[in-house]
């Protein structure tokens, strides 16, 4: 392959060789979407045209239509292929070096989590009957902080009622054809302690179910279906309308406000590092730090000379 080939032709071939079958389908689709954007923004760019200036212009064009974090993701997905092009001798230098990432201002974000009183109000309102339902799903996510796909993949044998733990070792392919998939990362494989009440409730619910079949999946599942059920309860209780993912944020927020360490919260959520937890819950951590400062100053002011 010569360096006069179109960059996006090289990029598509790179995706087929290095990413097809090596990454999850949802990640592969992101690479293909990046390829479509290169088609749109630089359809005639050849590999030999790539330099710091032309690459920066490509990134800038993308950034005009996207937020900064999305632009960063776009850059990272292109960079892997470009670095391989450098290694293969198609480019003399890395054109992505010292790239400046810009982007549109993030849109105002909706309320992502409930406070403790609001969550208690929500849980109390749930119509929990003697058979598995989305209400039970909502309760379990609120009590464990699991991701949507992780909770869908749960089977009865993942529950250890004697030790009061829940094993997370897989996800459910709800965006595709269904079936079990690996977890998001190795850190996502974990055991989540359950409170005694949830353990007793689910021991009764699951006693007659097949041990290796998903507890909550009976047919094709859509995220919007479960969010609709949750939204209905939120509106009924006059609470901020949040999503199932918002319940995960709620769970983590309550733990942090209760004084649980960031390291423990990161493990419980299955984050790959504490940095992810810190970035996601920065606003809460800052609020807790302000409380700590007040506590420190009150303690120091009580020390008399």
């Amino acid at each position: 392959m010569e360096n006069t080939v179109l960059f996006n032709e090289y990029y598509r071939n790179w995706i087929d060789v290095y990413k097809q079958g090596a990454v999850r389908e949802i990640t592969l689709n992101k690479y293909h979407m990046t390829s479509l954007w290169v088609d749109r923004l630089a359809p005639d760019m050849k590999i030999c045209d790539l330099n710091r200036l032309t690459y920066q212009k490509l990134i800038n064009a993308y950034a005009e239509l996207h937020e900064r974090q999305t632009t960063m993701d776009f850059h990272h997905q292109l960079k892997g292929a470009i670095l391989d092009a450098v290694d293969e001798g198609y480019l003399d230098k890395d054109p992505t070096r010292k790239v400046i990432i810009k982007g549109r201002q993030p849109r105002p974000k909706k309320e992502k989590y409930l406070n403790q009183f609001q969550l208690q109000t929500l849980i109390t309102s749930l119509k929990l009957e003697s058979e598995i339902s989305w209400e039970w799903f909502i309760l379990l996510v609120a009590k464990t902080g699991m991701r949507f796909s992780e909770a869908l993949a749960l089977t009865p044998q993942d529950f250890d009622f004697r030790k009061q733990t829940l094993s997370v070792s897989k996800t459910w392919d709800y965006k595709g054809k269904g079936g079990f998939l690996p977890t998001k990362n190795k850190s996502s494989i974990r055991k989540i302690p359950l409170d005694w009440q949830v353990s007793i409730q689910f021991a009764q619910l699951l006693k007659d179910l097949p041990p290796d079949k998903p507890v909550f999946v009976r047919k094709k599942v859509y995220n919007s279906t479960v969010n609709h059920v949750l939204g209905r309860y939120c509106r009924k209780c006059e609470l901020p309308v949040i999503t199932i993912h918002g319940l995960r944020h709620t769970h983590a927020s309550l733990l942090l406000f209760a004084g649980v360490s960031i390291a423990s919260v990161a493990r419980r959520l299955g984050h790959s590092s504490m940095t992810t937890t810190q970035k996601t819950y920065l606003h809460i951590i800052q609020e807790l730090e302000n409380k700590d400062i007040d506590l420190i100053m009150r303690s120091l002011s009580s020390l008399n000379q």
Side-chain angles (χ1 to χ4, degrees), residues 37-204:
W37 273 104
V38 176
D39 269 338
R40 175 177 170 180
L41 298 173
D44 301 319
M45 181 183 285
K46 299 173 183 174
I47 290 186
C48 61
D49 296 330
L50 272 171
N51 54 50
R52 285 189 60 202
L53 180 62
T54 57
Y55 185 72
Q56 185 68 63
K57 286 182 177 179
L58 172 60
I59 294 297
N60 289 352
Y62 186 86
E64 287 180 7
L65 302 168
H66 298 86
E67 295 181 10
R68 187 178 185 279
Q69 184 57 55
T70 311
T71 305
M72 180 68 79
D73 295 341
F74 177 75
H75 158 63
H76 283 152
Q77 291 201 319
L78 290 176
K79 185 175 180 177
I82 292 172
L83 290 179
D84 280 349
V86 174
D87 289 345
E88 292 163 5
Y90 300 131
L91 293 168
D92 295 329
K93 297 179 180 178
D94 174 15
T96 70
R97 189 175 66 87
K98 293 185 178 181
V99 67
I100 306 299
I101 304 298
K102 307 174 185 178
R104 300 171 72 172
Q105 283 292 333
R107 290 170 291 181
K109 291 192 168 40
K110 295 180 180 178
E111 189 77 27
K112 277 191 170 182
Y113 64 94
L114 304 177
N115 60 36
Q116 187 165 357
F117 173 77
Q118 291 169 330
L119 181 61
Q120 183 60 60
T121 302
L122 173 67
I123 290 175
T124 303
S125 74
L126 293 176
K127 191 176 181 181
L128 300 170
E129 298 183 337
S130 58
E131 294 185 350
I132 286 293
S133 64
W134 291 126
E135 283 81 357
W136 284 111
F137 184 91
I138 290 168
L139 176 69
L140 192 61
V141 172
K143 291 283 189 110
T144 62
M146 282 187 296
R147 297 178 178 93
F148 180 67
S149 58
E150 292 172 344
L152 286 179
L154 290 175
T155 62
Q157 63 191 12
D158 293 323
F159 291 78
D160 187 332
F161 297 116
R162 186 175 60 84
K163 295 182 179 178
Q164 290 184 206
T165 60
L166 182 56
S167 294
V168 178
S169 59
K170 56 195 177 303
T171 63
W172 186 259
D173 183 20
Y174 70 94
K175 292 183 178 179
K177 298 177 181 178
F180 296 115
L181 289 174
T183 54
K184 187 175 182 179
N185 51 59
K186 288 184 179 179
S187 302
S188 296
I189 300 174
R190 61 202 189 277
K191 290 186 185 296
I192 303 175
L194 298 173
D195 65 77
W196 66 268
Q197 190 174 18
V198 166
S199 293
I200 291 173
Q201 290 169 321
F202 273 84
Q204 185 66 26

Side-chain angles (χ1 to χ4, degrees), residues 6-16 19 27-45 58 62 73-75 77-78 81:
L6 288 174
F7 170 54
N8 206 29
E9 184 179 327
Y10 172 86
Y11 186 61
R12 279 193 294 267
N13 184 61
W14 180 85
I15 294 171
D16 290 342
K19 298 302 175 182
T27 305
L28 184 65
N29 288 338
K30 290 178 181 177
Y31 279 100
H32 286 310
M33 184 59 69
T34 295
S35 177
L36 291 175
W37 273 104
V38 176
D39 269 338
R40 175 177 170 180
L41 298 173
D44 301 319
M45 181 183 285
L58 172 60
Y62 186 86
D73 295 341
F74 177 75
H75 158 63
Q77 291 201 319
L78 290 176

Side-chain angles (χ1 to χ4, degrees), residues 17 24 48 85 93 128 156-157 176 198 225 231 247 279 303 305:
V17 172
R24 296 170 63 179
C48 61
K93 297 179 180 178
L128 300 170
Q157 63 191 12
V198 166
T225 301
L247 275 182
K279 285 181 179 178
L303 297 175
Q305 290 181 329

